[in-house]
Amino acid sequence: MGKLSASILSADLAHLADQVKLVDEHADVIHVDVMDAHFVPPLTIGPIVVAALRPHTDRTLHGHLMVEAPEALFDELSEAGMDVVSFHVEAVADPAPVIAKARGAGMGVGLTVSPETPIESVFPYLEDVDDVMVMSMHPGRAGRAFIPEALPKVESVRGELARRGLSADVEVDGGVKLDNARRCVEAGANVLVAASAIFQAEDLAAAARDLKAIVEAA
Ligand code: DX5
Ligand code: ZN
């Protein structure tokens, strides 16, 4: 069953709980972009805001860690109520111990690849992760254009998972809109991340509902 993940980066963060409540009927996951001003320029959201949001939704909270030292945040994020963390394969020298540390902190774990990174870089770890997130935009901000070269990477990792009898989630993150969502799903994604397509829409709930309908039909 496909899932919709609502990225709060484009939400009105002064009213975060209310914004999340508007969409979480249709969004299975709330995607939290954690950026440290080093791995990518902006400084965004950390454990304190995650803890504040946690009582307001029972949806999975998935942290997308665009930070240089993801393992340094695991304990605090877990205590704040984060359910799953994904970190960038480009950010660490050896993903294996970092994956183990996230599990040790009690969270699900995934790997993320930036647009310039070959998808094969996550293949050695597929047995150990719950999630592979393929970025279809350069990380750092919401609202950038969708990079279609992400789609063959989605196909490739979905094929490799199937070949090994694995069923990890495959996500597409970046520039996902109503007009490209179906292509992402057809390529093998079962989770679509969307920020501006949901939170910049006139009717947030309707935008989430329409995207969910596409990924659900997968
Ligand atoms: C970008 C973030 C994305 C972003 C998606 O660095 O990782 O999750 O919020 O934004 P949209 O859906 O607006 O392209
Ligand atoms: Zn993200």
Side-chain angles (χ1 to χ4, degrees):
M1 177 68 83
K3 290 183 269 189
L4 176 65
S5 184
S7 170
I8 59 173
L9 196 59
S10 295
D12 175 356
L13 293 173
H15 303 279
L16 180 56
D18 295 339
Q19 296 255 293
V20 166
K21 281 181 182 154
L22 283 174
V23 304
D24 73 358
E25 181 189 343
H26 306 291
D28 309 273
V29 179
I30 305 301
H31 176 106
V32 181
D33 287 313
V34 179
M35 307 186 194
D36 66 351
H38 291 277
F39 183 77
V40 285
L43 183 64
T44 59
I45 297 161
I48 291 171
V49 174
V50 173
L53 175 62
R54 183 67 283 181
H56 297 283
T57 181
D58 57 11
R59 293 309 196 186
T60 297
L61 293 182
H62 189 151
H64 173 190
L65 274 48
M66 286 156 276
V67 304
E68 274 180 3
E71 67 280 6
L73 289 170
F74 289 165
D75 288 340
E76 264 190 277
L77 285 172
S78 177
E79 279 161 30
M82 193 71 91
D83 299 298
V84 184
V85 279
S86 288
F87 64 91
H88 274 254
V89 71
E90 306 88 6
V92 299
D94 182 4
V98 185
I99 290 168
K101 185 154 190 220
R103 291 220 186 276
M107 296 180 288
V109 61
L111 280 171
T112 306
V113 288
S114 288
E116 58 280 359
T117 305
I119 190 66
E120 291 76 16
S121 60
V122 304
F123 284 7
Y125 313 102
L126 291 179
E127 268 81 12
D128 305 321
V129 295
D130 305 301
D131 188 283
V132 176
M133 195 187 298
V134 178
M135 291 223 61
S136 43
M137 68 191 293
H138 293 283
R141 302 245 175 239
R144 290 173 172 166
F146 180 78
I147 298 173
E149 287 75 15
L151 295 175
K153 293 163 81 173
V154 169
E155 268 174 36
S156 168
V157 70
R158 177 55 80 199
E160 186 64 18
L161 285 164
R163 202 179 63 73
R164 300 193 203 175
L166 299 169
S167 59
D169 286 333
V170 178
E171 310 206 15
V172 178
D173 182 17
V176 173
K177 310 277 180 217
L178 275 179
D179 65 1
N180 58 27
R182 199 176 306 278
R183 278 195 288 152
C184 298
V185 167
E186 283 168 2
N190 69 311
V191 184
L192 298 185
V193 181
S196 42
I198 295 175
F199 288 106
Q200 297 296 305
E202 194 87 6
D203 181 339
L204 277 58
R209 182 197 62 214
D210 293 350
L211 275 170
K212 175 65 193 263
I214 293 176
V215 71
E216 211 167 30

